[in-house]
Amino acid sequence: VINLKKRFDFFISSEEDIISARQRVRQFATELGFEQTDTILIATAVSEITRNIIKYAKNGKIEFSSISLDQKEGIEIYASDEGPGIPDIELALQDGFSTGFGLGLGLPGAKRLMDEFEIESKVNLGTTIKMRKWIEK
Ligand SMILES: Nc1ncnc2c1ncn2[C@@H]1O[C@H](COP(=O)(O)OP(=O)(O)OP(=O)(O)O)[C@@H](O)[C@H]1O
Ligand SMILES: [Mg+2]
């Protein structure tokens, strides 16, 4: 069973929050003991998820937690919004799929950058994304 300690919430409601969420998670990941390269990967995943919240849902929240499992330690990032939802998650995770005239690389990119990645979504109700990364030892 994963042991989770919630550390802070980050509310997202404007474009500037994309940059501040990125900076904040880099700082947090560094505190947790991630190497610099990994903090950049995590921050990039967070900016894509944050950008999508702004673009599709207008606002939302990200919860940041530290996690541990046996000897492993890591980060859990849980994003939630009450936006339009994603009708077909598998499709949304394909490279190049976009309903917003984007490159369609945000979600599949974030998934590749993290170790674990789960989306739940209901049309008209919203979307949650849980992603985790473990510290390399
Ligand atoms: N939070 C969300 N709420 C509703 N739909 C979303 C959300 N996040 C992603 N989507 C849907 O999933 C699609 C794929 O997202 P993804 O981030 O991969 O691409 P994009 O945002 O369209 O383009 P890019 O991120 O490359 O600029 C989006 O076009 C949108 O239809
Ligand atoms: Mg995107």
Side-chain angles (χ1 to χ4, degrees):
V1 182
I2 288 187
N3 177 342
L4 178 143
K5 276 198 200 103
K6 186 166 148 184
R7 301 299 187 88
F8 59 95
D9 287 334
F10 196 97
F11 292 89
I12 300 149
S13 59
S14 73
E15 290 276 333
E16 295 89 81
D17 296 332
I18 299 169
I19 293 163
S20 32
R22 186 185 174 93
Q23 286 168 346
R24 188 66 185 83
V25 70
R26 272 196 75 172
Q27 183 194 334
F28 180 48
T30 304
E31 284 164 18
L32 291 179
F34 280 94
E35 302 224 358
Q36 198 190 357
T37 47
D38 274 346
T39 67
I40 294 168
L41 302 185
I42 294 165
T44 304
V46 166
S47 15
E48 290 302 331
I49 297 316
T50 309
R51 192 183 306 281
N52 284 347
I53 290 177
I54 293 294
K55 191 169 176 184
Y56 300 105
K58 310 291 178 219
N59 55 64
K61 181 174 100 170
I62 306 187
E63 298 173 33
F64 292 93
S65 305
S66 59
I67 49 174
S68 59
L69 176 65
D70 304 324
Q71 301 305 310
K72 290 198 296 184
E73 291 183 18
I75 189 170
E76 181 174 299
I77 295 157
Y78 182 79
S80 58
D81 68 61
E82 298 183 348
I86 302 174
D88 186 339
I89 291 169
E90 232 179 283
L91 188 62
L93 280 169
Q94 286 179 18
D95 284 343
F97 176 83
S98 175
T99 60
F101 306 101
L103 292 176
L105 294 176
L107 283 184
K111 181 175 180 174
R112 283 192 285 264
L113 295 173
M114 301 297 287
D115 294 327
E116 294 171 36
F117 191 90
E118 282 168 27
I119 302 181
E120 285 181 15
S121 190
K122 287 213 172 76
V123 171
N124 294 325
L125 289 178
T127 301
T128 63
I129 297 178
K130 182 161 80 180
M131 45 192 197
R132 294 188 180 133
K133 200 169 184 74
W134 300 100
I135 295 172
E136 301 279 337
K137 288 217 175 118

